[in-house]
Short mmCIF file of all heavy atoms in Angstrom, two decimals:
data_model
loop_
_atom_site.label_atom_id
_atom_site.label_comp_id
_atom_site.label_asym_id
_atom_site.label_seq_id
_atom_site.Cartn_x
_atom_site.Cartn_y
_atom_site.Cartn_z
N LYS A 1 84.49 85.61 92.08
CA LYS A 1 85.90 85.98 91.90
C LYS A 1 86.19 87.41 91.63
O LYS A 1 87.00 87.96 92.17
CB LYS A 1 86.31 85.14 90.78
CG LYS A 1 87.90 85.38 90.40
CD LYS A 1 88.33 84.54 89.34
CE LYS A 1 89.85 84.73 88.95
NZ LYS A 1 90.31 83.90 87.88
N LEU A 2 85.25 88.02 90.87
CA LEU A 2 85.36 89.49 90.48
C LEU A 2 85.15 90.25 91.74
O LEU A 2 85.87 91.20 92.11
CB LEU A 2 84.35 89.87 89.46
CG LEU A 2 84.55 89.41 88.11
CD1 LEU A 2 83.31 89.66 87.14
CD2 LEU A 2 85.79 90.26 87.43
N VAL A 3 84.18 89.93 92.51
CA VAL A 3 83.87 90.72 93.79
C VAL A 3 84.97 90.57 94.78
O VAL A 3 85.39 91.64 95.39
CB VAL A 3 82.53 90.29 94.36
CG1 VAL A 3 82.29 90.95 95.79
CG2 VAL A 3 81.41 90.78 93.46
N SER A 4 85.42 89.50 95.04
CA SER A 4 86.43 89.14 96.06
C SER A 4 87.73 89.77 95.61
O SER A 4 88.50 90.22 96.53
CB SER A 4 86.61 87.73 96.32
OG SER A 4 86.85 86.94 95.13
N ALA A 5 88.08 89.70 94.36
CA ALA A 5 89.25 90.39 93.92
C ALA A 5 89.33 91.89 94.02
O ALA A 5 90.48 92.36 94.35
CB ALA A 5 89.56 90.03 92.43
N ALA A 6 88.29 92.45 94.14
CA ALA A 6 88.20 93.98 94.41
C ALA A 6 88.64 94.22 95.81
O ALA A 6 89.14 95.27 96.18
CB ALA A 6 86.67 94.43 94.24
N LEU A 7 88.58 93.30 96.76
CA LEU A 7 88.97 93.38 98.13
C LEU A 7 90.55 93.45 98.28
O LEU A 7 90.96 93.72 99.24
CB LEU A 7 88.46 92.43 99.04
CG LEU A 7 87.01 92.74 99.56
CD1 LEU A 7 85.93 92.62 98.44
CD2 LEU A 7 86.64 91.71 100.66
N ARG A 8 91.22 93.19 97.24
CA ARG A 8 92.70 93.20 97.14
C ARG A 8 93.22 94.62 97.26
O ARG A 8 94.33 94.92 97.71
CB ARG A 8 93.19 92.53 96.00
CG ARG A 8 93.12 90.97 95.87
CD ARG A 8 93.70 90.47 94.68
NE ARG A 8 93.59 89.09 94.37
CZ ARG A 8 94.37 88.03 94.85
NH1 ARG A 8 95.46 88.54 95.54
NH2 ARG A 8 94.12 86.84 94.60
N ASN A 9 92.32 95.46 96.61
CA ASN A 9 92.80 96.91 96.62
C ASN A 9 92.78 97.55 98.10
O ASN A 9 91.86 97.46 98.72
CB ASN A 9 91.77 97.73 95.68
CG ASN A 9 92.38 99.03 95.28
OD1 ASN A 9 92.75 99.87 96.21
ND2 ASN A 9 92.30 99.35 94.04
N PRO A 10 93.94 98.18 98.38
CA PRO A 10 94.00 98.79 99.68
C PRO A 10 93.00 99.84 99.93
O PRO A 10 92.69 100.16 101.13
CB PRO A 10 95.39 99.52 99.67
CG PRO A 10 96.16 98.76 98.63
CD PRO A 10 95.03 98.32 97.54
N GLU A 11 92.31 100.45 98.86
CA GLU A 11 91.27 101.40 99.03
C GLU A 11 89.91 100.79 99.61
O GLU A 11 89.12 101.46 100.22
CB GLU A 11 91.04 102.13 97.71
CG GLU A 11 92.08 103.04 97.27
CD GLU A 11 92.24 104.22 98.21
OE1 GLU A 11 91.19 104.81 98.63
OE2 GLU A 11 93.30 104.58 98.56
N CYS A 12 89.77 99.51 99.32
CA CYS A 12 88.57 98.71 99.72
C CYS A 12 88.60 98.50 101.28
O CYS A 12 89.51 97.87 101.70
CB CYS A 12 88.35 97.55 98.88
SG CYS A 12 86.83 96.74 99.17
N LYS A 13 87.53 98.82 102.06
CA LYS A 13 87.66 98.78 103.45
C LYS A 13 86.63 97.81 103.97
O LYS A 13 86.17 97.99 105.10
CB LYS A 13 87.56 100.03 104.16
CG LYS A 13 88.57 101.17 103.70
CD LYS A 13 89.97 100.63 104.10
CE LYS A 13 91.02 101.79 103.65
NZ LYS A 13 92.42 101.28 103.87
N ILE A 14 86.06 96.88 103.13
CA ILE A 14 84.89 96.00 103.54
C ILE A 14 85.38 95.23 104.66
O ILE A 14 86.38 94.52 104.62
CB ILE A 14 84.55 95.26 102.28
CG1 ILE A 14 83.77 96.12 101.30
CG2 ILE A 14 83.44 94.13 102.82
CD1 ILE A 14 83.29 95.37 100.03
N GLN A 15 84.53 95.15 105.68
CA GLN A 15 84.74 94.35 106.93
C GLN A 15 83.80 93.24 106.95
O GLN A 15 84.25 92.11 107.47
CB GLN A 15 84.53 95.20 108.19
CG GLN A 15 85.44 96.37 108.28
CD GLN A 15 85.15 97.27 109.41
OE1 GLN A 15 84.27 97.01 110.29
NE2 GLN A 15 85.73 98.51 109.56
N THR A 16 82.55 93.22 106.45
CA THR A 16 81.55 92.27 106.48
C THR A 16 81.09 91.94 105.13
O THR A 16 80.72 92.82 104.40
CB THR A 16 80.41 92.66 107.33
OG1 THR A 16 80.80 92.93 108.69
CG2 THR A 16 79.33 91.49 107.41
N LEU A 17 81.23 90.67 104.70
CA LEU A 17 80.77 90.30 103.28
C LEU A 17 79.78 89.06 103.33
O LEU A 17 80.20 88.04 103.95
CB LEU A 17 82.03 89.87 102.45
CG LEU A 17 81.80 89.52 100.97
CD1 LEU A 17 81.16 90.54 100.25
CD2 LEU A 17 83.19 89.08 100.40
N TRP A 18 78.62 89.36 102.81
CA TRP A 18 77.59 88.24 102.78
C TRP A 18 77.52 87.67 101.35
O TRP A 18 77.19 88.37 100.49
CB TRP A 18 76.26 88.83 103.18
CG TRP A 18 76.24 89.41 104.55
CD1 TRP A 18 76.77 90.53 105.12
CD2 TRP A 18 75.72 88.82 105.73
NE1 TRP A 18 76.46 90.75 106.38
CE2 TRP A 18 75.81 89.64 106.88
CE3 TRP A 18 75.05 87.49 105.95
CZ2 TRP A 18 75.37 89.30 108.13
CZ3 TRP A 18 74.50 87.17 107.26
CH2 TRP A 18 74.74 88.04 108.29
N LEU A 19 77.81 86.36 101.17
CA LEU A 19 77.79 85.72 99.94
C LEU A 19 76.97 84.44 100.07
O LEU A 19 77.38 83.31 99.73
CB LEU A 19 79.11 85.48 99.46
CG LEU A 19 79.85 86.64 98.98
CD1 LEU A 19 81.38 86.23 98.61
CD2 LEU A 19 79.19 87.41 97.85
N ILE A 20 75.79 84.49 100.72
CA ILE A 20 74.89 83.27 101.01
C ILE A 20 74.21 82.93 99.61
O ILE A 20 73.54 83.79 99.11
CB ILE A 20 73.94 83.62 102.08
CG1 ILE A 20 74.65 83.94 103.47
CG2 ILE A 20 73.04 82.43 102.31
CD1 ILE A 20 73.85 84.43 104.43
N ARG A 21 74.25 81.67 99.29
CA ARG A 21 73.52 81.11 98.13
C ARG A 21 73.74 81.99 96.93
O ARG A 21 72.72 82.39 96.31
CB ARG A 21 72.01 80.96 98.52
CG ARG A 21 71.21 80.13 97.47
CD ARG A 21 69.87 79.77 97.94
NE ARG A 21 69.84 78.91 99.22
CZ ARG A 21 68.71 78.63 99.77
NH1 ARG A 21 67.54 79.03 99.31
NH2 ARG A 21 68.72 77.86 100.87
N VAL A 22 75.02 82.04 96.44
CA VAL A 22 75.44 82.85 95.34
C VAL A 22 75.91 81.89 94.20
O VAL A 22 76.39 82.36 93.25
CB VAL A 22 76.30 83.86 95.62
CG1 VAL A 22 75.78 85.00 96.51
CG2 VAL A 22 77.64 83.34 96.24
N GLY A 23 75.79 80.57 94.40
CA GLY A 23 76.38 79.60 93.35
C GLY A 23 77.81 79.37 93.58
O GLY A 23 78.41 78.98 92.46
N LEU A 24 78.40 79.56 94.66
CA LEU A 24 79.84 79.28 94.80
C LEU A 24 80.10 77.83 94.84
O LEU A 24 79.35 77.01 95.71
CB LEU A 24 80.39 80.03 96.02
CG LEU A 24 81.91 79.84 96.40
CD1 LEU A 24 82.69 80.51 95.24
CD2 LEU A 24 82.17 80.52 97.76
N THR A 25 81.05 77.23 94.06
CA THR A 25 81.48 75.85 94.15
C THR A 25 82.90 75.78 94.57
O THR A 25 83.58 76.69 94.83
CB THR A 25 81.21 75.14 92.86
OG1 THR A 25 82.18 75.67 92.00
CG2 THR A 25 79.78 75.48 92.35
N ASP A 26 83.36 74.46 94.62
CA ASP A 26 84.81 74.13 94.94
C ASP A 26 85.82 74.96 94.01
O ASP A 26 86.85 75.27 94.24
CB ASP A 26 85.10 72.68 94.92
CG ASP A 26 84.31 71.95 96.04
OD1 ASP A 26 84.15 72.59 97.11
OD2 ASP A 26 83.96 70.86 95.89
N SER A 27 85.27 75.03 92.77
CA SER A 27 86.21 75.63 91.60
C SER A 27 86.46 77.08 92.02
O SER A 27 87.52 77.65 91.57
CB SER A 27 85.41 75.59 90.21
OG SER A 27 85.08 74.32 89.93
N GLY A 28 85.53 77.79 92.66
CA GLY A 28 85.75 79.18 92.95
C GLY A 28 86.39 79.45 94.33
O GLY A 28 86.74 80.54 94.67
#
């Protein structure tokens, strides 16, 4: 949630995001 929220900022220009096996569940 913290990392993805950073992408809301217009200054952030990330095009490719890898989040494989990071413990993400339905809650997140």
Side-chain angles (χ1 to χ4, degrees):
K1 181 179 180 179
L2 288 168
V3 172
S4 56
L7 275 68
R8 291 181 184 272
N9 195 305
E11 290 293 315
C12 185
K13 305 298 182 183
I14 290 178
Q15 299 172 9
T16 302
L17 181 62
W18 298 76
L19 294 171
I20 300 170
R21 196 171 292 179
V22 294
L24 180 65
T25 72
D26 293 329
S27 298

